[in-house]
Amino acid sequence: MSNKNIESVLQEGRLFPPADSFKAAAGLDAAKLAALHAAAEHDPTGFWGDQAREALTWHTPFTDVLDESEAPNYRWFGDGKLNVSVNCLDVHLAERGDNTALVFESEPGAVRRLTYRELHAEVCRFANGLRALGVEQGDRVVIYMPLMPEAIIAMQACARIGAIHSVVFGGFSALSLRDRIEDAGARVLITADGGMRGGNVIELKTAADKALSEGCASIESLIVLRHTGHDVPMVAGRDVWWQDLVHDKPATCEPAWVDAEHPLFLLYTSGSTGKPKGIQHSSAGYLLGAKLSTQWVFDLQPDDVFWCTADVGWITGHSYVAYGPLANGATVVLYEGGPTWPDAGRFWRIIEDHKVSIFYTAPTALRALMKLGDDIPNSYDLSSLRLLGSVGEPINPEAWMWYRTVIGKDRCPIVDTWWQTETGAILISPVPGATATKPGSCTQPLPGIDAAIVDDEGNAVTKPDAGGYLVVRRPWPSMLRTIWNDNDRYIDTYWHRFQNRYYVAGDSAHRDADGYFWIMGRIDDVLNVSGHRLGTMEVESALVAHHRVAEAAVVGKPHPVKGEAVFAYVVCRGERPMGDTRAFVEELRQWVGEQIGAIAKPDEIRFADNLPKTRSGKIMRRLLRAIARDEEITQDISTLENPQIVDQLRGK
Ligand code: PRX
């Protein structure tokens, strides 16, 4: 969001306190929230210990809450043992076994429901299937599936036997899948014949075959869910149908009691190098964060129907589809397909049909739906909604207000939740029964989270509206533990900047006079495209892997729907492409799609004879950003080795 937007909201002073009716019924009112904050302030470690004893079911209770001896490799609840799937499923069987756990709607519109008892049985069958294939505690299992119950079943089954899952978003290409499998050294890959999106079949099995044919020596088995039903070849000795694997397996499965710190999953995310990093999360601390934040931020009540639209390929789909709501015994809606398929009312129809009460989505989706006009949502019954959430990128006040008035009919609080793959759970967010909200601000840190804004020296910025680094000054249970296979990078990326004292989020932010946080965006070379993180270096590496490309530089450009668009400058080997370059541009876009995935395809590509560099050879990214945005160039270009290039880069 631009400064201008923030200023206009601040000047208007729009402040939305929770409605009295919401406040009265909320699980956490202002007094209870204040008590949690006070307890956490007074004794942070004791606070988390109490929360972990109360919220989680332990096989072996812990005695040690936080081990800081190897900071910043913190260990939480170190000597305790538990099982995450037991905490999400078994704990509900006695009292809520017949409640609906998952409501799944496929893109063509078929609806399937699973109770907690049924989900538990399916998870156990599949967990037994994994064990039958030789999967053991600590083995890595990669999941490359559509957003459907079996993706959740696969994740929970891994948790049940202590295997470490790594979900790869189905929109990533075969090559991205291969890289992630290889980095994790996975033994088993789970996929489907295909997925459905916008009326098209996504060829997941074909991509999986391609990934495995180009490496991935560690993979022993490929499990394939029959979903779309179209023909896919199976490789004898390696491939097995999911349905065949589970049909004779018992519906109970002895859980593996793992250490609190046992890795629950890896999730790859983009950073400022060309290589995505495998963020490693723990079992107990992660689950605690997912479970508590779901209670606090979404005010889950027993009859709520919770719909988070994120795919399980992202952290939001882990914490607020697969783990947090299930740990709380909620009813979770899953929808496989596109938001405007077969028409622009699909999301609103799902809310009406399944009586969704809590809806959690990304600003990019809201902006896309907002553009289509109010008549569409107005023609559906959205009266079941009582709370709305936003995640993944700054929400511009205009979209916030539309969400509030047109979707929430001025009744539903909006929770703008700030967090990251690394944080595991929401860290800064309104608590809907307690916090007065401001459009565009994620408001205040949750209890136990010591978020702050600091300057270059690491000193807290106290002046209202002055920007700085967003940091967290104390460890919290759901924080990442390390980067898989690369602890040096973990320390370097998140801790080194302030001598290992603070976790550095990589965002810049400021606080207003009320102490509310306003997130300004990334300070590293990471873009946020449609709420998804994308490293500029990843796209650059993909481009230069094309035989005609000599050099590439990628920057972000503000985009009205996606938040940021990918803008690439390309220097070709030999002559600069001239005249009608559309076919070549399309070839390069396809190429990037094959290397990374469709989300990384550049929106614009501009060709040049060379890139603007300083005399020491550094690409002047700030200049490239200004040019992409058609802004006036304010920086000094006299240090440019080749100042005449500027006109060419401008497309003149
Ligand atoms: O820049 C912030 C932005 O998304 C980044 C984290 O991306 P990722 O790990 O993919 O996780 C996305 C879902 C949690 C952050 O560094 N971001 C996330 N939520 C918000 C946000 N920016 C502003 N406001 C938010 N509510």
Side-chain angles (χ1 to χ4, degrees):
M1 177 169 48
S2 71
N3 284 321
K4 214 168 121 245
N5 274 339
I6 290 172
E7 275 156 24
S8 68
V9 175
L10 289 177
Q11 278 157 14
E12 288 169 33
R14 279 184 285 194
L15 191 69
F16 297 93
D20 287 341
S21 54
F22 193 98
K23 245 188 335 202
L28 211 54
D29 58 18
K32 286 189 197 145
L33 179 63
L36 285 177
H37 275 297
E41 272 303 302
H42 172 70
D43 172 12
T45 310
F47 168 78
W48 286 121
D50 291 345
Q51 297 297 328
R53 270 182 287 270
E54 200 180 308
L56 302 182
T57 298
W58 294 87
H59 179 260
T60 311
F62 58 90
T63 57
D64 187 15
V65 177
L66 173 62
D67 176 357
E68 304 187 79
S69 60
E70 286 174 39
N73 290 107
Y74 295 96
R75 294 173 58 81
W76 286 90
F77 320 119
D79 53 349
K81 283 186 191 289
L82 83 180
N83 180 279
V84 168
S85 114
V86 167
N87 271 275
C88 292
L89 303 171
D90 304 46
V91 294
H92 306 308
L93 294 184
E95 281 174 27
R96 275 177 289 192
D98 296 326
N99 287 14
T100 305
L102 301 180
V103 181
F104 170 60
E105 186 165 315
S106 71
E107 193 176 75
V111 174
R112 180 150 59 104
R113 289 189 169 74
L114 283 115
T115 63
Y116 271 90
R117 202 176 310 289
E118 289 163 340
L119 180 60
H120 177 264
E122 292 305 324
V123 167
C124 287
R125 277 196 192 96
F126 192 67
N128 288 323
L130 288 175
R131 278 196 176 138
L133 290 176
V135 178
E136 292 174 3
Q137 187 169 322
D139 284 345
R140 274 79 61 208
V141 172
V142 171
I143 299 171
Y144 184 61
M145 295 187 78
L147 176 53
M148 58 187 303
E150 282 73 9
I152 313 279
I153 290 167
M155 294 162 83
Q156 289 281 349
C158 287
R160 192 153 195 99
I161 63 171
I164 303 167
H165 63 67
S166 167
V167 184
V168 177
F169 172 54
F172 277 126
S173 69
L175 294 178
S176 291
L177 174 63
R178 178 199 65 189
D179 292 349
R180 285 158 174 75
I181 290 172
E182 291 193 334
D183 190 74
R187 246 176 123 171
V188 170
L189 172 62
I190 307 170
T191 191
D193 45 5
M196 294 299 296
R197 187 89 189 172
N200 298 314
V201 172
I202 313 284
E203 297 283 352
L204 294 171
K205 172 66 162 76
T206 310
D209 283 337
K210 182 161 183 237
L212 298 190
S213 71
E214 297 190 7
C216 306
S218 58
I219 291 286
E220 294 165 15
S221 309
L222 171 59
I223 303 172
V224 188
L225 178 77
R226 201 178 281 109
H227 173 50
T228 52
H230 71 298
D231 254 354
V232 294
M234 297 289 275
V235 175
R238 184 197 73 184
D239 298 358
V240 50
W241 289 107
W242 173 301
Q243 283 85 349
D244 293 344
L245 182 68
V246 298
H247 91 274
D248 61 349
K249 297 294 181 294
T252 56
C253 172
E254 189 54 33
W257 301 110
V258 300
D259 291 342
E261 280 296 315
H262 180 70
L264 177 64
F265 65 86
L266 310 179
L267 185 58
Y268 285 80
T269 190
S270 297
S272 48
T273 74
K275 188 173 175 290
K277 42 197 180 184
I279 302 299
Q280 180 182 319
H281 277 288
S282 69
S283 293
Y286 169 78
L287 188 66
L288 181 66
K291 183 172 182 182
L292 283 182
S293 60
T294 308
Q295 278 170 19
W296 292 346
V297 173
F298 298 111
D299 185 47
L300 266 190
Q301 311 276 344
D303 44 5
D304 271 319
V305 177
F306 183 85
W307 184 24
C308 162
T309 63
D311 191 279
V312 283
W314 311 107
I315 191 67
T316 310
H318 282 58
S319 304
Y320 302 106
V321 181
Y323 290 113
L326 293 181
N328 284 295
T331 296
V332 175
V333 173
L334 287 179
Y335 167 57
E336 177 189 2
T340 50
W341 182 266
D343 58 58
R346 187 64 185 263
F347 267 20
W348 317 126
R349 187 155 59 241
I350 291 174
I351 292 174
E352 175 179 299
D353 286 352
H354 301 297
K355 307 218 170 350
V356 171
S357 56
I358 304 172
F359 179 59
Y360 188 35
T361 196
T364 188
L366 294 173
R367 288 190 295 260
L369 293 165
M370 180 169 89
K371 265 192 10 187
L372 305 172
D374 300 356
D375 289 352
I376 300 170
N378 283 344
S379 63
Y380 292 90
D381 177 6
L382 304 180
S383 60
S384 57
L385 288 172
R386 66 179 198 91
L387 177 63
L388 303 172
S390 167
V391 60
E393 49 181 320
I395 178 165
N396 47 314
E398 191 194 356
W400 197 101
M401 289 307 298
W402 183 79
Y403 204 17
R404 179 173 166 96
T405 51
V406 178
I407 306 306
K409 315 286 182 216
D410 286 321
R411 279 183 304 109
C412 306
I414 294 181
V415 288
D416 174 0
T417 62
W418 179 87
W419 61 297
Q420 311 176 293
T421 305
E422 293 87 341
T423 68
I426 297 167
L427 297 195
I428 310 179
S429 166
V431 167
T435 316
T437 53
K438 300 180 187 185
S441 167
C442 54
T443 76
Q444 306 264 19
L446 292 177
I449 303 302
D450 184 20
I453 315 254
V454 299
D455 63 18
D456 278 328
E457 274 73 52
N459 300 315
V461 172
T462 47
K463 206 166 125 233
D465 303 330
Y469 297 86
L470 178 59
V471 299
V472 188
R473 295 182 295 195
R474 269 199 306 261
W476 67 101
S478 67
M479 65 197 296
L480 79 164
R481 295 306 191 257
T482 186
I483 293 174
W484 182 255
N485 276 339
D486 201 347
N487 199 52
D488 289 347
R489 189 174 177 195
Y490 164 70
I491 292 173
D492 208 51
T493 309
Y494 304 108
W495 299 94
H496 180 72
R497 181 76 188 70
F498 299 112
Q499 304 82 43
N500 295 358
R501 288 180 298 149
Y502 305 152
Y503 167 81
V504 182
D507 281 348
S508 68
H510 63 83
R511 296 180 86 163
D512 64 21
D514 297 326
Y516 277 40
F517 283 74
W518 298 80
I519 309 294
M520 308 303 295
R522 302 288 307 187
I523 46 181
D524 49 11
D525 291 321
V526 171
L527 308 182
N528 192 326
V529 179
S530 302
H532 302 312
R533 247 156 94 166
L534 192 61
T536 52
M537 291 263 286
E538 272 175 87
V539 186
E540 289 165 7
S541 317
L543 282 166
V544 297
H546 188 278
H547 68 278
R548 281 186 64 192
V549 176
E551 254 190 308
V554 167
V555 296
K557 176 180 179 176
H559 185 277
V561 173
K562 295 175 169 195
E564 259 185 308
V566 180
F567 192 108
Y569 297 91
V570 166
V571 178
C572 285
R573 293 178 198 282
E575 289 291 289
R576 172 161 63 105
M578 302 284 262
D580 186 356
T581 56
R582 277 175 303 181
F584 184 45
V585 165
E586 200 40 42
E587 182 182 327
L588 289 179
R589 294 183 72 246
Q590 288 301 332
W591 172 261
V592 173
E594 280 166 35
Q595 303 290 306
I596 304 175
I599 53 167
K601 285 183 184 174
D603 296 84
E604 272 180 74
I605 295 182
R606 197 163 286 171
F607 298 105
D609 289 326
N610 44 48
L611 296 174
K613 291 187 186 153
T614 61
R615 292 203 174 88
S616 60
K618 264 184 75 174
I619 294 177
M620 294 183 73
R621 284 179 181 280
R622 215 148 54 87
L623 177 66
L624 289 177
R625 266 195 293 271
I627 294 173
R629 292 165 195 209
D630 265 333
E631 287 169 1
E632 224 175 287
I633 296 170
T634 51
Q635 59 255 69
D636 177 13
I637 53 171
S638 64
T639 55
L640 263 185
E641 197 192 40
N642 45 352
Q644 70 289 353
I645 199 67
V646 172
D647 276 347
Q648 203 183 77
L649 293 166
R650 280 192 180 285
K652 287 184 182 150

